[in-house]
Amino acid sequence: MGFLGLLLGALIGVSLGLLGGGGSILAVPVFVYVLGFDPKQAVAMSLAVVGIASLVGAVGYWRAGRVDFRIALVFGAIAMAGTYVGARLAVFFSGEAQLLIFAVVMLAAAYFMFTDRGLNDSEGAREKMPLALIAGEGLAVGVLTGLVGVGGGFLVVPALVMLGKVPVKRAVGTSLLVIAMKSASGLAGYAGQVEIPWGFVLAFAAVAVVGSYLGSYLVRFISPSALKRGFSVFLIAVSLLILYENRDTLIGLVS
């Protein structure tokens, strides 16, 4: 796999452990543009790597008491169904249009995370999130995830924090479990469609798992406010890159 592959795998894991998302945003471009895999193959490989790393990362958060299984099971199950619906709707959009939607959603999430609107850092007692709200959020996030083709951690964390009033570190741990659930569902959908080099994938995932443990460890030393702002900067950087890469399509839409 080489030193570069090891380093990139570790960085993907750290992003998952620290932010509760960002793995597939990094993994797909890495597999396509750096390691030379076919795009469809890269998507399936990304689901496997991110799913494994997310599940292992969620274990670390669970041990620290930062996974809300009530929310994860309801939110995750409905999000899996929403992801399927979003994937079916994707046939009506060009790849460039999907990426532009992806960038706009990330910018909106970054804005709310950075300005602290509706956020709650308290780890203490809080009003429980109604099941109907969990279901509605899970469906909406799932549809967007299926439509833009990413794991959805950057959508799940802000949704749990802003609307569910879940403390950000607890939202990160819960997000990891939700991502693992959706990755498993998505990977099953790719069965028989593409050839997955499982030896490479498992080695890459092992490195990402180590990185996710590092991210889970580092999160203890970062304030929730700094974590939210760091997350928002990450989202802005990736969204601006996507907008730049698809500037011709964007200009065509607004002109």
Side-chain angles (χ1 to χ4, degrees), residues 1-16 22-47 49-50 102 149-150 197 200-201 203-205 207-208 234 238 241-242:
M1 178 163 56
F3 175 76
L4 181 58
L6 291 172
L7 178 61
L8 293 172
L11 289 175
I12 288 170
V14 169
S15 75
L16 284 166
S24 56
I25 292 174
L26 296 173
V28 172
V30 163
F31 287 145
V32 174
Y33 298 113
V34 180
L35 300 176
F37 286 96
D38 176 79
K40 286 189 177 293
Q41 192 178 31
V43 171
M45 292 167 62
S46 171
L47 288 170
V49 170
V50 172
F102 175 28
V150 297
F200 177 89
V201 165
F204 197 92
V207 177
F234 170 79
V238 175
L241 175 62
I242 292 172

Side-chain angles (χ1 to χ4, degrees), residues 61-239:
Y61 276 86
W62 166 68
R63 289 176 176 171
R66 289 175 175 159
V67 174
D68 192 320
F69 285 98
R70 172 180 174 270
I71 290 178
L73 293 178
V74 176
F75 192 104
I78 295 175
M80 289 168 71
T83 300
Y84 176 81
V85 173
R88 300 296 292 179
L89 291 174
V91 299
F92 300 105
F93 296 83
S94 68
E96 292 79 6
Q98 287 176 269
L99 288 173
L100 291 174
I101 294 171
F102 175 28
V104 170
V105 171
M106 281 200 299
L107 283 173
Y111 169 76
F112 285 108
M113 292 291 281
F114 194 85
T115 56
D116 280 352
R117 296 198 175 190
L119 300 181
N120 178 12
D121 291 331
S122 173
E123 294 283 357
R126 68 185 190 282
E127 191 174 325
K128 282 192 174 181
M129 191 176 180
L131 287 176
L133 182 57
I134 298 173
E137 290 180 24
L139 183 62
V141 168
V143 170
L144 281 172
T145 298
L147 185 59
V148 301
V150 297
F154 73 95
L155 295 171
V156 177
V157 173
L160 295 180
V161 174
M162 292 184 296
L163 302 179
K165 310 303 180 186
V166 179
V168 66
K169 292 182 180 179
R170 193 176 183 89
V172 170
T174 305
S175 169
L176 288 170
L177 182 55
V178 171
I179 292 171
M181 294 169 65
K182 291 195 296 178
S183 294
S185 176
L187 188 60
Y190 272 91
Q193 295 187 40
V194 296
E195 176 122 13
I196 300 177
W198 282 108
F200 177 89
V201 165
L202 292 176
F204 197 92
V207 177
V209 164
V210 174
S212 72
Y213 271 117
L214 177 60
S216 298
Y217 175 76
L218 291 176
V219 78
R220 304 174 189 177
F221 307 101
I222 303 175
S223 71
S225 179
L227 186 59
K228 287 178 290 191
R229 283 170 171 75
F231 193 11
S232 69
V233 171
F234 170 79
L235 297 182
I236 291 169
V238 175
S239 62

